[in-house]
Amino acid sequence: MITVEQAEKLILANAGDYGNEIISFDGSLGRVLAETIKSDRDLPPFNRVSMDGIAIKYEAFANGQRTFTIKATQAAGDTPIDIDTQNECVEIMTGAALPESLDTVVRYEDITIEDEKATVVLNELRKGQNLHLQGADRKKGDIVLTPGRLITPAVLNMLASVGEVEVRVKRKPRVVILSSGNELVEADKTPSPFQIRRSNNYMVRAVLDQLGIDAAMLHLPDEPTVIKQTLQQCLYNFDVLLLSGGISMGKFDYIPEVLNELRVEQIFHKVQQRPGKPFWFGKQAEGPVVFAFPGNPVATFMCVQRYFVPWLNKTLSVDERTSKYAVLDRDLKFEPELKYFLQVQLTSSAEGVLLAMPVEGNGSGDFANLADTDAFMELPLEKKEFKKGEVYKIWQFNIL
Amino acid sequence: MITVEQAEKLILANAGDYGNEIISFDGSLGRVLAETIKSDRDLPPFNRVSMDGIAIKYEAFANGQRTFTIKATQAAGDTPIDIDTQNECVEIMTGAALPESLDTVVRYEDITIEDEKATVVLNELRKGQNLHLQGADRKKGDIVLTPGRLITPAVLNMLASVGEVEVRVKRKPRVVILSSGNELVEADKTPSPFQIRRSNNYMVRAVLDQLGIDAAMLHLPDEPTVIKQTLQQCLYNFDVLLLSGGISMGKFDYIPEVLNELRVEQIFHKVQQRPGKPFWFGKQAEGPVVFAFPGNPVATFMCVQRYFVPWLNKTLSVDERTSKYAVLDRDLKFEPELKYFLQVQLTSSAEGVLLAMPVEGNGSGDFANLADTDAFMELPLEKKEFKKGEVYKIWQFNIL
């Protein structure tokens, strides 16, 4: 049985690369940039007026001039209007390009206007005030975004600003989610007293949905011929197979054997962890990867967060973020020789500390508390007692 | 000019309620539950076997019995098979319902099997081991989810498990995003040297997309008749108008006036904050609310996060989360009599502390750094100097 760290390493070593594609920027939210974006102009592209008011020549003000004849009004987007003499000004709006003959903007709040003349009511001005100078943020040709950047709303804003309406992004893997087991019935059916409803697959699809992946869903009965046929088709049509159930030591756990027959090489089976010990991972040479998770929902969910998401991030070359830590908020014992992924609810203390309160549960089969859980806290294998106040790594899936 | 707190209070006092609707559970990710969900059965619904192996009667083991005749094999989903005498066992799989005549499960790892007989190789067992007892997590009729619950993947899992395939959720408001200003050209056009590309609207739409709202987009030229006509139609067709630009003191900032003509009551104009001082908010009696944000992207983005998102959460009656705090990671001065919303990048320290590093910028007009920002830190109005190590509230929008 391998450790969590070994499992992670083997999974990341089998990250894929499904190439790039070019899409319209306004459908690119959540995608990963696969090109370098440079600014096509200075940002701001001109000396940008940042307050409504008048633009004057500072020298005139310094020489005692307080009242200026309004030569014209310039809106944002207008061609700049220059003055002829320093006792003139231009009434000018936020977002307008400062005329070359002017260098300072005085807000409406600091002037009075009468008979087409504006009078500055301040005794002091700063030369160049209320301006956002050309190129102050970025110069034309500067790199503004690099490959690996997750496209957030603010990144979209940047893409639009520099006119990158067609954008090269990483292509996403094609994923199929396979549930298995004859004990499962559809969610809209009434199970027999000894059956349960299928739910894992919906949960996994929802996680993928949040990751921007539209996954297919299939079900495998405990029937080796059907399992083989279905898996064969999936291996042909998808890049990633996410299975849940059918991989333990049970007599009807045909999946590892069938995968082997289909030339999917087992990379590991079983990880020193709870939940999720029976986790199986393999890959077909030059073909898809197969994550086969244990059937219980908490184990499936944890394995998706702890293994599949990092695999996907590496596959899409997403910029890495640093790890995240929280403070355990209650004493805890965990005896087995397994790394324990503790379900926790997170709160932010008034000291800026992230606190992790264990969500009570009855071991790995209990999914009733998963809905109240924000993260898994990864408790080290070497310890059995964990004290309130100790800090451990977390895998967060709900934003606070 | 009102404070941020006053603005927030007025906005929340104008939260709406657009009723409920019933949708299929598998399309409900990101929606807000509007009903109480009870479990239709015990969870687990039966004494669930949690390891593959054999089920025995503990009493027999306690009396010295080590070898048991395998009466039958029971898969998950099968009707339970009872034994006739205590020297029998049932070979049983994870997920199966424990037969009534049996009470303890021994893993394959702890037995040997030969000639249809299983021998336990341990000298000690715990009565009831490797079982997840009926109703241990929830009882039939227990409340498992309450109104206000955001539907996450784990909540979906619960809905599927209890067979709630049709689910009552809060109806979402219909939202339109309106950009304004003649200085703006489409993102795929080359602007004149004095124009810029439209980008705010795409950014706001992306934020709404993340919130599960599919918003419409329109543009308003600086032309009072067109503005009036368009706004009138929007007030008729939408529940929320999100405008950006056109609300400052500029000569072409027609929007507040036109809104007034259209009987949208101004609730406030201008907030003691940077960015976003000119923020305008109003409501038509019995009609839509109007958020009119300043035109610069950082101000728009901040106001969406700080005001629109809380308004939406209240409108949808989402369960409130506690506030979030982070530790300022560098000294900072901010002189104006405004509450400063500082752009910060977040990291989690090895002590579990959330650290907020200011992202350098040139004031409110600088959006080039917004893409590198994870949150706004809300710095109190009363102070001008902020020291590394001090803790302030944050408004986080990127998950780490």
Side-chain angles (χ1 to χ4, degrees), chain B residues 14 259 264-268 280-284 288-292:
Chain B
N14 285 284
L259 284 169
V264 179
E265 187 205 348
Q266 174 185 315
I267 293 172
F268 62 76
W280 188 104
F281 178 72
K283 188 176 186 305
Q284 212 177 39
V289 289
V290 180
F291 294 78

Coordinates of all heavy atoms in Angstrom, one line a residue, chain B residues 14 259 264-268 280-284 288-292:
Chain B
N14 N -33.4 47.1 0.5 CA -34.1 47.0 -0.7 C -33.9 45.7 -1.4 O -34.0 45.6 -2.7 CB -33.7 48.2 -1.6 CG -34.3 49.5 -1.2 OD1 -35.5 49.7 -1.4 ND2 -33.6 50.3 -0.5
L259 N -33.0 58.6 -15.0 CA -33.6 57.6 -14.0 C -34.7 58.3 -13.2 O -35.8 57.8 -12.9 CB -32.5 57.0 -13.1 CG -31.7 56.0 -13.8 CD1 -30.5 55.6 -12.9 CD2 -32.4 54.7 -14.1
V264 N -37.5 56.4 -11.1 CA -36.6 55.6 -10.2 C -36.1 56.5 -9.1 O -35.5 57.5 -9.4 CB -35.4 55.0 -11.0 CG1 -34.5 54.2 -10.1 CG2 -35.9 54.1 -12.2
E265 N -36.5 56.2 -7.9 CA -36.2 57.0 -6.8 C -34.7 56.8 -6.4 O -34.2 55.7 -6.2 CB -37.0 56.7 -5.6 CG -36.9 57.6 -4.4 CD -37.2 57.0 -3.1 OE1 -37.8 55.9 -3.1 OE2 -36.9 57.6 -2.0
Q266 N -34.0 57.9 -6.3 CA -32.6 57.9 -5.9 C -32.6 57.6 -4.4 O -33.1 58.3 -3.6 CB -31.9 59.2 -6.2 CG -30.5 59.2 -5.6 CD -29.8 60.6 -5.7 OE1 -29.8 61.2 -6.8 NE2 -29.2 61.1 -4.7
I267 N -31.9 56.5 -4.0 CA -31.8 56.2 -2.6 C -30.5 56.8 -2.0 O -30.5 57.3 -0.9 CB -31.9 54.6 -2.4 CG1 -33.4 54.3 -2.7 CG2 -31.6 54.3 -0.9 CD1 -33.6 52.8 -2.8
F268 N -29.4 56.7 -2.8 CA -28.3 57.5 -2.5 C -27.4 57.7 -3.7 O -27.6 57.0 -4.7 CB -27.4 56.9 -1.3 CG -26.8 55.5 -1.7 CD1 -25.7 55.4 -2.5 CD2 -27.4 54.4 -1.1 CE1 -25.2 54.1 -2.8 CE2 -26.9 53.1 -1.4 CZ -25.8 53.0 -2.2
W280 N -24.2 55.3 -7.5 CA -25.6 55.7 -7.4 C -26.5 54.5 -7.2 O -26.3 53.5 -7.8 CB -25.9 56.5 -8.6 CG -27.3 57.2 -8.7 CD1 -27.5 58.5 -8.6 CD2 -28.6 56.6 -8.9 NE1 -28.8 58.8 -8.7 CE2 -29.5 57.7 -8.9 CE3 -29.0 55.3 -9.1 CZ2 -30.9 57.5 -9.1 CZ3 -30.4 55.1 -9.3 CH2 -31.3 56.2 -9.3
F281 N -27.5 54.6 -6.3 CA -28.4 53.4 -6.1 C -29.8 53.9 -6.0 O -30.1 55.0 -5.3 CB -28.0 52.7 -4.8 CG -28.9 51.5 -4.5 CD1 -28.8 50.4 -5.3 CD2 -29.8 51.6 -3.4 CE1 -29.7 49.3 -5.0 CE2 -30.6 50.5 -3.1 CZ -30.5 49.3 -3.9
G282 N -30.7 53.3 -6.7 CA -32.1 53.7 -6.6 C -33.1 52.5 -6.9 O -32.7 51.4 -7.2
K283 N -34.3 52.9 -6.7 CA -35.4 51.8 -6.9 C -36.6 52.5 -7.4 O -37.0 53.6 -7.0 CB -35.6 51.1 -5.6 CG -36.5 49.9 -5.7 CD -36.7 49.2 -4.4 CE -37.5 47.9 -4.5 NZ -38.8 48.1 -5.2
Q284 N -37.3 51.8 -8.3 CA -38.6 52.2 -8.8 C -39.6 51.6 -7.8 O -39.5 50.4 -7.4 CB -38.9 51.7 -10.2 CG -39.7 52.5 -11.0 CD -39.9 52.0 -12.4 OE1 -40.1 50.8 -12.6 NE2 -39.9 52.9 -13.4
P288 N -37.9 47.6 -10.3 CA -36.6 47.1 -10.2 C -35.7 48.0 -9.4 O -36.0 49.2 -9.1 CB -36.1 47.2 -11.7 CG -37.3 47.5 -12.5 CD -38.3 48.0 -11.7
V289 N -34.6 47.4 -8.9 CA -33.5 48.2 -8.3 C -32.5 48.6 -9.4 O -32.3 47.8 -10.3 CB -32.8 47.5 -7.1 CG1 -33.7 47.3 -6.0 CG2 -32.3 46.1 -7.6
V290 N -31.8 49.7 -9.2 CA -30.8 50.1 -10.1 C -29.5 50.4 -9.4 O -29.4 51.2 -8.5 CB -31.2 51.4 -10.9 CG1 -30.2 51.9 -11.8 CG2 -32.6 51.2 -11.6
F291 N -28.5 49.6 -9.7 CA -27.1 49.9 -9.2 C -26.4 50.6 -10.3 O -26.2 50.0 -11.4 CB -26.4 48.6 -8.9 CG -26.9 47.8 -7.8 CD1 -28.0 47.0 -8.0 CD2 -26.2 47.7 -6.6 CE1 -28.5 46.2 -6.9 CE2 -26.7 47.0 -5.5 CZ -27.8 46.2 -5.7
A292 N -26.0 51.9 -10.1 CA -25.2 52.6 -11.2 C -23.8 52.8 -10.6 O -23.6 53.6 -9.7 CB -25.9 53.9 -11.5

